[in-house]
Amino acid sequence: MKNTLLTLSLIFPFLLSSQQILLENERARVVDEILEERFNTLLPQLMDKTDIDMWVLISREYNEDPVLRTMLPAKWLNARRRTILVFYQNKKKNTIDKLAVARYNVGKSIKSAWDKEKEPNQWKRLIQLIEERNPKKIGLNFSEDYNIADGLDKTDYDAFMQNLPKKYHNKVISAEQLAVRWIETRTEREMVIYNQLVDITHDIIAEAFSEKVITPGITTTTEVEWWMRQKVTDLGLETWFHPTVDVQRTSEELVGHLYSFSGRPDDMVILPGDLLHCDFGITYLRLNTDCQELAYVLKPEEKEAPGFLVNGLKDGNRVQDFLTKNMIKGKTGNQILAKSLSEAKATGLKPAIYTHPLGSYGHSAGTTIGMWDSQGGVMKDDGENYPLNPNTVYAIELNTTITIPEWKRDIRIMLEEAGFFGEDGFRYVNGRQTELLLIPRVKDHQGN
């Protein structure tokens, strides 16, 4: 471990002063250890809560169910051939079977339950396992409301139902709730790791929004985006979306909200007096981050950002506070959204809230608290009635529009930070931005 840290710190001295990034074999060990804990501790709890005693997941190679993908061991980059997983909980015996109707064990916990020489037909073997256990309910991953819980393709669904004896057909139900709970729920160890992920994300943004990367009058927004992308690659990490960097300045008009996500001009030269905004996230140890922060490019005579921008960031933090104090167990995303917007507007703020679940996927499954184009609440197919559950993570994503007389225009203060909702309420995973990043960093007369 010491050699790992020494080697990487020589290559990446800026970032690894705060967090160690593991080598691939060490990552695999951690991923598999967490997976075993989730199978042995979390899964039985979730099957109890959703009242499903048998869960069947079916995928073929390169067309993986999003839930099954999160269950594969570190050495499995994809399913193999047709991979069928069966989880059966016997409440009387207080046991849970973790079986693979496949030619191989799937990691340590999921044992192969198919000898092709004894039974050549994979579907027949699956039916034998079902009949031996006679479950009360058979959960399959099909869902109208959640794409991540809708991973069973039509071909495999049809084949399953054709092979399943008719006496079991009325036991087949959607495993939507179980699938979503599996995806959204984080363990204590995962949250320890999550803090490290967000810290790495903050470090990369801090370096990107500094004189190490940006030379005003020369560097473009596109160059900063690709620098961030390359930094992720150089660190041996991944990102689940291409970073974006945009500019708000005195000579520009406030454009539509879609501008923040698409349609920005490329290669804008960054100038003194610009307010920079980025949207950036990484993937590491099967978890994802999503972060938006702001930086101000100092003019030659300036030592700090203008007061109206400092106060604008404070307004953005106030909107965050209205949202996070209304994140209450059992409340739906629409309920949280409506109350938060109402309270923020009552104080004179002009907020928009579009907070999404975060975790196994960047746009993950769980409680959706608004969308940028659905400020009246989300519809049924976006999970309008799904409650806020504990031990879940969210991208606290939002903005507030502020008027700047000095610039003779409105701007948006756009922020996004990872937040954890637990039994004791809400907390940020690794803090939040409360001060603008300054480019260049201000030094005293001694150069410190």
Side-chain angles (χ1 to χ4, degrees):
M1 189 67 74
K2 289 182 179 179
N3 289 337
T4 299
L5 181 56
L6 176 60
T7 302
L8 291 177
S9 63
L10 290 173
I11 301 172
F12 312 121
F14 175 84
L15 188 60
L16 291 198
S17 62
S18 58
Q19 293 294 344
Q20 177 184 355
I21 295 177
L22 300 176
L23 294 177
E24 285 290 349
N25 65 321
E26 295 166 334
R27 297 185 206 188
R29 174 183 59 80
V30 173
V31 165
D32 287 344
E33 286 174 358
I34 290 173
L35 199 52
E36 291 306 299
E37 179 188 7
R38 289 177 63 85
F39 282 137
N40 295 324
T41 303
L42 178 61
L43 183 59
Q45 297 173 15
L46 298 182
M47 293 183 76
D48 269 343
K49 290 178 180 178
T50 55
D51 194 28
I52 293 176
D53 58 336
M54 178 173 282
W55 192 11
V56 179
L57 298 91
I58 308 170
S59 279
R60 282 175 291 167
E61 199 165 358
Y62 307 129
N63 189 36
E64 288 80 12
D65 176 324
V67 177
L68 183 141
R69 178 178 288 277
T70 70
M71 296 175 167
L72 298 178
K75 291 182 180 179
W76 284 46
L77 304 185
N78 299 93
R80 297 178 181 175
R81 301 181 184 178
R82 176 181 278 109
T83 297
I84 302 176
L85 304 183
V86 178
F87 302 103
Y88 173 70
Q89 186 176 44
N90 187 321
K91 291 187 178 181
K92 290 183 179 179
K93 296 182 179 179
N94 194 28
T95 59
I96 183 166
D97 296 334
K98 298 178 285 291
L99 307 171
V101 189
R103 297 283 280 169
Y104 324 93
N105 293 336
V106 181
K108 294 180 180 179
S109 282
I110 305 175
K111 303 301 181 182
S112 173
W114 180 34
D115 184 339
K116 192 174 181 179
E117 282 62 46
K118 291 182 178 179
E119 174 49 74
N121 189 302
Q122 188 179 21
W123 292 111
K124 286 185 178 180
R125 179 54 183 151
L126 172 60
I127 301 309
Q128 289 172 5
L129 294 172
I130 293 173
E131 290 183 321
E132 288 168 4
R133 287 155 180 79
N134 191 28
K136 295 178 181 178
K137 296 179 182 178
I138 303 172
L140 300 179
N141 285 356
F142 57 86
S143 169
E144 181 180 346
D145 295 343
Y146 291 95
N147 57 320
I148 288 175
D150 194 35
L152 178 61
D153 64 37
K154 185 178 186 301
T155 299
D156 284 332
Y157 174 80
D158 288 347
F160 177 79
M161 296 305 291
Q162 288 167 9
N163 282 277
L164 186 69
K166 291 195 181 300
K167 66 180 180 179
Y168 291 105
H169 280 209
N170 63 353
K171 295 185 176 185
V172 174
I173 63 169
S174 167
E176 173 187 273
Q177 294 293 310
L178 178 53
V180 172
R181 293 298 294 270
W182 170 265
I183 292 295
E184 75 170 353
T185 307
R186 305 271 69 82
T187 65
E188 288 187 20
R189 187 175 182 189
E190 284 179 298
M191 289 314 304
V192 172
I193 292 170
Y194 227 133
N195 178 70
Q196 298 165 11
L197 263 75
V198 181
D199 192 33
I200 293 169
T201 305
H202 287 160
D203 281 347
I204 295 174
I205 292 174
E207 187 175 3
F209 279 173
S210 77
E211 62 271 26
K212 294 182 179 181
V213 175
I214 295 174
T215 301
I218 297 176
T219 309
T220 68
T221 52
T222 301
E223 288 173 331
V224 180
E225 292 171 355
W226 280 109
W227 180 92
M228 298 173 88
R229 184 76 178 268
Q230 188 63 51
K231 183 74 172 184
V232 170
T233 299
D234 290 345
L235 290 168
L237 302 172
E238 301 289 340
T239 183
W240 60 279
F241 67 97
H242 184 70
T244 63
V245 175
D246 58 87
V247 171
Q248 295 181 93
R249 56 173 59 129
T250 181
S251 60
E252 303 289 338
E253 293 292 331
L254 182 64
V255 295
H257 205 144
L258 185 61
Y259 176 89
S260 302
F261 304 94
S262 177
R264 297 173 311 283
D266 292 331
D267 292 316
M268 287 188 68
V269 176
I270 296 169
L271 299 172
D274 282 349
L275 180 67
L276 301 184
H277 163 264
C278 71
D279 193 352
F280 173 69
I282 65 171
T283 302
Y284 179 46
L285 297 174
R286 296 198 177 176
L287 295 171
N288 295 272
T289 66
D290 198 356
C291 186
Q292 296 179 43
E293 293 197 357
L294 300 167
Y296 177 72
V297 185
L298 292 168
K299 297 177 181 179
E301 70 278 9
E302 291 179 320
K303 297 297 183 183
E304 59 187 19
F308 54 80
L309 293 181
V310 173
N311 291 332
L313 178 55
K314 290 180 180 178
D315 284 346
N317 291 151
R318 289 171 61 202
V319 177
Q320 290 174 326
D321 293 340
F322 280 115
L323 169 59
T324 58
K325 79 181 181 66
N326 283 310
M327 293 179 71
I328 299 169
K329 181 179 177 180
K331 296 292 185 181
T332 68
N334 282 353
Q335 290 171 330
I336 296 168
L337 174 70
K339 196 167 189 297
S340 302
L341 288 176
S342 176
E343 291 179 353
K345 289 176 181 178
T347 68
L349 294 168
K350 299 177 182 178
I353 296 172
Y354 31 96
T355 286
H356 59 84
L358 186 65
S360 301
Y361 293 95
H363 291 154
S364 206
T367 309
T368 300
I369 308 174
M371 294 183 176
W372 67 265
D373 55 353
S374 297
Q375 289 298 284
V378 299
M379 298 297 104
K380 184 175 186 295
D381 58 353
D382 295 312
E384 64 174 341
N385 293 317
Y386 193 79
L388 179 66
N389 290 314
N391 302 318
T392 51
V393 175
Y394 301 87
I396 304 300
E397 185 178 10
L398 46 76
N399 75 64
T400 188
T401 300
I402 64 172
T403 300
I404 302 180
E406 294 87 346
W407 284 8
K408 299 179 181 180
R409 60 164 294 190
D410 289 347
I411 68 168
R412 289 193 185 93
I413 300 296
M414 296 173 281
L415 299 171
E416 187 170 19
E417 292 288 358
F420 173 74
F421 181 77
E423 294 290 354
D424 297 326
F426 176 87
R427 66 172 173 84
Y428 286 99
V429 174
N430 182 256
R432 61 172 173 172
Q433 184 178 22
T434 57
E435 295 183 0
L436 294 168
L437 294 168
L438 298 179
I439 306 168
R441 301 291 192 263
V442 177
K443 299 177 181 179
D444 60 28
H445 66 281
Q446 294 179 333
N448 297 318

